[in-house]
Amino acid sequence: MADTAPPDTVRPPQEDSLRAVLADLRAVDGALYAAVAATPTPTLDRGLRLLSAAADNSKISFAVATALALAGGRARRAALAGVGAVTIASASANLIGKRLVRRPRPDREAARVTVARHVPMPASASFPSGHTASAVAFATAVGVVLPPAAVPLGILASAVGYSRVHTGVHYPGDVAAGAVLGLTAAVVSLTLTDRLLPGTELTARGRNNGTPQGT
């Protein structure tokens, strides 16, 4: 009896279209990374390198959270929400995102990223950017509870995210994904904070509405 060969596997058109879109997105991502690497910015290089290093392990966010916690009241609640958001974002990025995607880090030498920008190249996978996820998570959570802090912390988070591309350790797509993850982590942290500290939330709302509060 003659052997019969299995029919060729035919991919659906939707799968081919998705592959093509992903390939185009990777090409754009690589082109943006190369454009940043090729743009001379000697006055920015040192500052962004220092900022990128200072954001390691969310040191900046934790320093701000400490100052807010010492202030007490609503600022302390903002600190708790911010630290919770950083914890969720960091765990999601490092324990789930990087392990699932396993995207290699950019080839900084091939892109000729100037040495003046260099920070240590992390050994972990590139996608998503944990620095960006944590910075955006903190800025969003704190900004919702304490609106005057929203703009400065948002600018700081944006600068941290860009610094990761500028120093050559992340593609722009990694940073964009980290920002989305950070926003999601902030929403989760704010929801948990509202449930765990309902009395504090009512107090904050009363102050916002101009309702007198007892001492």
Side-chain angles (χ1 to χ4, degrees):
M1 181 176 181
D3 293 335
T4 57
D8 293 336
T9 302
V10 179
R11 289 195 301 266
Q14 295 85 350
E15 183 176 340
D16 288 336
S17 298
L18 178 59
R19 288 175 181 272
V21 169
L22 291 176
D24 287 349
L25 290 176
R26 283 193 295 269
V28 171
D29 206 16
L32 290 173
Y33 177 87
V36 171
T39 303
T41 53
T43 57
L44 294 177
D45 290 348
R46 184 173 184 273
L48 288 170
R49 174 172 56 82
L50 292 175
L51 175 63
S52 185
D56 287 347
N57 301 312
S58 299
K59 291 192 293 287
I60 298 176
S61 295
F62 287 133
V64 174
T66 299
L68 292 173
L70 292 175
R74 191 175 177 189
R76 181 173 296 172
R77 178 186 179 82
L80 290 173
V83 170
V86 168
T87 302
I88 295 168
S90 179
S92 300
N94 293 297
L95 300 180
I96 300 175
K98 292 180 183 293
R99 294 186 178 185
L100 286 177
V101 179
R102 297 184 180 277
R103 186 183 194 184
R105 292 278 173 173
D107 190 339
R108 189 163 54 182
E109 284 68 32
R112 298 182 179 180
V113 176
T114 180
V115 176
R117 301 182 183 182
H118 283 198
V119 296
M121 180 66 77
S124 60
S126 190
F127 184 97
S129 168
H131 283 65
T132 306
S134 296
V136 170
F138 184 79
T140 304
V142 172
V144 169
V145 180
L146 200 64
V151 172
L153 289 180
I155 293 173
L156 179 61
S158 299
V160 168
Y162 174 73
S163 75
R164 303 304 284 171
V165 179
H166 194 85
T167 55
V169 298
H170 274 295
Y171 293 102
D174 303 334
V175 170
V180 173
L181 180 58
L183 290 171
T184 304
V187 171
V188 174
S189 180
L190 289 166
T191 301
L192 292 175
T193 302
D194 286 350
R195 291 181 179 178
L196 295 175
L197 302 172
T200 309
E201 174 64 15
L202 291 175
T203 300
R205 287 177 180 171
R207 289 174 181 171
N208 286 337
N209 295 331
T211 303
Q213 300 296 321
T215 57

